Amino acid sequence: MSTPSETAPADQDALPTEHRTAAVVYNPVKVHLPTLKATVEQHQQEAGWAETLWFETTEEDPGGGMARAALDAGADVVAAAGGDGTVRAVAEVVHGSGASLALLPSGTGNLLARNMKLPLDDLASSAHTIFSGHERAIDFGLIGIERPDGAREQFGFVVMAGLGLDARMIANTRPELKKRVGWLAYLDSLLRSVRDTDGFEFKYRLDESARNGSVRAHSVIVGNCGMLQANAMLLPDAEIDDGVFDIVVMRPAASSAGCGSVHACSGRTGSCAGSGVRRCPRR
């Protein structure tokens, strides 16, 4: 993961430039391409890198196929220019490849950049980091999914992975409202989703030696970092590079007014980089 450096001398901090190539995977809906290209190419030329490669995402592919093409073309750094979906798709492919991931925040939430305290609205600084930043290792999660027909898939995440209400909220978000008001559209979706106080039955295993358990909850979220939009903190102890994931369980409860509310409890896991949920001592 390429991040800015504010203290180290440039000759110590900058990535080696010899024969290095960057690629940008961009969402055309989220970026102003002429400005993005001009800014990136300026910093590429100043750093002495090879010509930057450009890959446009599609509705069918948010970035995974483009990231693979970038790696096949020899990219040393793959920058994601788009929202959280683009970042996740690119990170999923870049993980374990030997290339670095860079961010050009362009979306609604920009949660990875937000949690890493990277600039959210400074394109020049973000572009400079692609070519002159330093590498920082962060945790990466893998989730295995089995479909009703028995088909299995695996997905990666760098911010959070949620089941239940969290997934329902994303599915219920109105695209036209999101275009108008940005992340506030998630609040509208959350209010509509939480009206259903029927929880889900989750089965879990906390570690190899512990017995299996189950819990009825509205949502279970595994977080690599804890900050949401508007700097709202969901998992205050989560750190993006501490080698563990944090878990929050939200349980539905009826209030005296008859409206649905959610109670939350949190804990920590003892694994990262795809090992699953292994330890969650209750706090």
Side-chain angles (χ1 to χ4, degrees):
M1 178 77 207
S2 295
T3 59
S5 175
E6 299 178 353
T7 57
D11 59 345
Q12 293 181 11
D13 190 61
L15 298 171
T17 61
E18 185 178 1
H19 305 304
R20 294 185 70 84
T21 303
V24 177
V25 176
Y26 67 93
N27 182 336
V29 177
K30 300 287 187 179
V31 305
H32 184 258
L33 188 57
T35 301
L36 178 62
K37 278 194 169 185
T39 305
V40 170
E41 288 173 0
Q42 175 188 342
H43 289 279
Q44 162 219 303
Q45 293 170 5
E46 291 176 355
W49 284 41
E51 184 175 351
T52 300
L53 308 175
W54 295 86
F55 299 88
E56 181 177 311
T57 67
T58 64
E59 290 187 8
E60 296 76 22
D61 187 341
M66 296 75 192
R68 292 186 190 92
L71 294 178
D72 290 343
D76 299 287
V77 176
V78 183
D84 294 323
T86 303
V87 171
R88 191 208 65 78
V90 173
E92 184 177 72
V93 173
V94 172
H95 166 68
S97 69
S100 298
L101 171 70
L103 302 179
L104 294 165
S106 310
T108 303
N110 301 313
L111 292 182
L112 182 58
R114 188 181 301 274
N115 278 275
M116 295 184 70
K117 297 179 174 57
L118 303 179
L120 301 181
D121 54 5
D122 188 340
L123 178 57
S125 176
S126 298
H128 177 77
T129 299
I130 297 174
F131 308 101
S132 302
H134 69 273
E135 294 188 350
R136 175 184 176 186
I138 64 174
D139 299 331
F140 181 86
L142 288 173
I143 292 181
I145 295 178
E146 183 173 340
R147 304 293 185 183
D149 63 359
R152 296 186 177 185
E153 296 180 84
Q154 192 173 70
F155 297 92
F157 69 94
V158 288
V159 178
M160 298 178 189
L163 298 171
L165 175 63
D166 179 68
R168 181 181 293 169
M169 178 189 71
I170 299 299
N172 286 345
T173 300
R174 297 166 175 165
E176 68 281 0
L177 184 61
K178 186 177 177 183
K179 289 180 181 178
R180 293 203 313 268
V181 301
W183 66 267
L184 291 174
Y186 293 125
L187 297 182
D188 166 76
S189 178
L190 177 63
L191 292 175
R192 288 184 289 111
S193 301
V194 80
R195 291 171 186 168
D196 181 7
T197 58
D198 292 333
F200 300 87
E201 191 73 21
F202 293 97
K203 295 183 179 180
Y204 61 86
R205 187 179 65 199
L206 299 182
D207 56 48
E208 287 89 342
S209 61
R211 63 182 183 181
N212 294 340
S214 64
V215 61
R216 189 162 189 83
H218 232 319
S219 186
V220 174
I221 299 175
V222 180
N224 189 28
C225 43
M227 187 180 296
L228 303 176
Q229 290 91 342
N231 297 325
M233 186 60 70
L234 178 66
L235 293 163
D237 294 327
E239 296 288 346
I240 203 165
D241 56 1
D242 62 356
V244 297
F245 295 138
D246 288 52
I247 299 174
V248 61
V249 177
M250 301 182 188
R251 296 175 178 171
S255 69
S256 59
C259 300
S261 61
V262 176
H263 293 170
C265 62
S266 63
R268 310 206 80 189
T269 75
S271 62
C272 64
S275 300
V277 176
R278 303 181 59 181
R279 187 181 74 251
C280 180
R282 185 162 184 173
R283 293 182 175 174

